Amino acid sequence: DVKVTQSSRYLVKRTGEKVFLECVQDMDHENMFWYRQDPGLGLRLIYFSYDVKMKEKGDIPEGYSVSREKKERFSLILESASTNQTSMYLCASSSPHYGYTFGSGTRLTVV
Amino acid sequence: QQQVKQSPQSLIVQKGGISIINCAYENTAFDYFPWYQQFPGKGPALLIAIRPDVSEKKEGRFTISFNKSAKQFSLHIMDSQPGDSATYFCAASKGGTSYDKVIFGPGTSLSVIP
């Protein structure tokens, strides 16, 4: 089974902190994605990557950055956390054969 | 143009009834329409998907109906069970698969009551 692992299930951070959300996949997938999930808004794409060291902005990249130094790892960075970034963050990877596989999510609260 | 609309926002169905969730899209470049099911505390998981060259796809109790001219598609869950209680997302992507980035609808929270 393809696994996408997000390092933390719950995180509480203070306003202004730099926050790292880590995601690792074990199936050598080319594509990786970061979404945030908010009630009534569904899943909104923040950033995605088609290859190592490559990144592209999604629909809501403001306040976020990403890093992909290795194929299996895709990190989401909140440069200076704000309360409006309190959300559920979902990482996914995809391949032509498997399509999307999501991690279980990280619920981030910024206080 | 990138948006996928979904209704209703929430749905309560009796056990054994039919659950129906409707979606609509604008971008005619979309050519792959997956549905995802999400249980509390879990990430979404692919449930069923359709391409616009067919008007209906059935897998067990789950059926997608697709109307290309109206740019609408819907999920029907027959004989709904309490275990179907989850959030359902319709979605759309280009390239014939969900390999590329997927645009999601806002979700429908389904509760199936005994």
Side-chain angles (χ1 to χ4, degrees):
Chain A
D1 269 1
V2 176
K3 265 198 175 166
V4 177
T5 303
Q6 295 184 231
S7 54
S8 304
R9 291 298 304 273
Y10 300 95
L11 272 179
V12 181
K13 296 292 182 181
R14 294 196 178 276
T15 301
E17 275 194 79
K18 190 169 187 176
V19 181
F20 293 85
L21 302 183
E22 305 290 344
C23 176
V24 178
Q25 51 97 359
D26 67 357
M27 278 296 290
D28 202 34
H29 285 177
E30 294 86 2
N31 299 350
M32 296 189 75
F33 306 84
W34 275 105
Y35 287 84
R36 64 177 280 178
Q37 181 178 7
D38 300 287
L41 297 176
L43 282 73
R44 293 179 292 166
L45 182 62
I46 305 171
Y47 266 97
F48 60 103
S49 169
Y50 290 142
D51 202 352
V52 175
K53 296 193 185 293
M54 176 272 174
K55 60 185 178 184
E56 291 215 23
K57 293 180 180 179
D59 299 318
I60 52 163
E62 296 78 19
Y64 304 95
S65 62
V66 290
S67 172
R68 194 167 181 197
E69 296 295 319
K70 294 184 178 180
K71 191 174 186 178
E72 68 271 19
R73 185 180 298 269
F74 192 36
S75 303
L76 180 69
I77 304 158
L78 286 66
E79 296 291 342
S80 177
S82 64
T83 55
N84 64 11
Q85 292 179 311
T86 292
S87 187
M88 170 70 83
Y89 290 88
L90 288 161
C91 175
S93 69
S94 75
S95 72
H97 181 69
Y98 286 105
Y100 263 44
T101 300
F102 280 94
S104 294
T106 296
R107 184 165 293 282
L108 173 67
T109 302
V110 182
V111 298
Chain B
Q1 272 255 320
Q2 284 286 80
Q3 201 176 11
V4 176
K5 297 178 181 177
Q6 182 173 350
S7 63
Q9 187 174 355
S10 63
L11 183 61
I12 300 174
V13 173
Q14 291 276 130
K15 179 182 174 182
I18 303 173
S19 304
I20 302 174
I21 304 170
N22 299 300
C23 289
Y25 64 99
E26 287 295 324
N27 190 342
T28 55
F30 289 143
D31 59 3
Y32 182 75
F33 301 90
W35 285 85
Y36 285 80
Q37 179 188 55
Q38 183 181 32
F39 294 106
K42 302 286 188 182
L46 180 65
L47 182 64
I48 186 173
I50 195 168
R51 293 183 176 82
D53 52 343
V54 297
S55 60
E56 185 174 284
K57 184 174 181 179
K58 185 175 181 179
E59 288 184 3
R61 296 184 293 108
F62 299 89
T63 300
I64 302 177
S65 298
F66 189 84
N67 186 329
K68 188 175 181 178
S69 60
K71 291 185 283 187
Q72 295 175 348
F73 57 110
S74 60
L75 177 70
H76 291 64
I77 306 174
M78 312 299 288
D79 186 27
S80 299
Q81 299 297 313
D84 297 330
S85 297
T87 300
Y88 292 81
F89 295 96
C90 62
S93 65
K94 305 173 192 175
T97 72
S98 60
Y99 174 59
D100 206 336
K101 62 178 182 176
V102 174
I103 307 300
F104 289 84
T108 296
S109 177
L110 171 66
S111 297
V112 181
I113 54 177

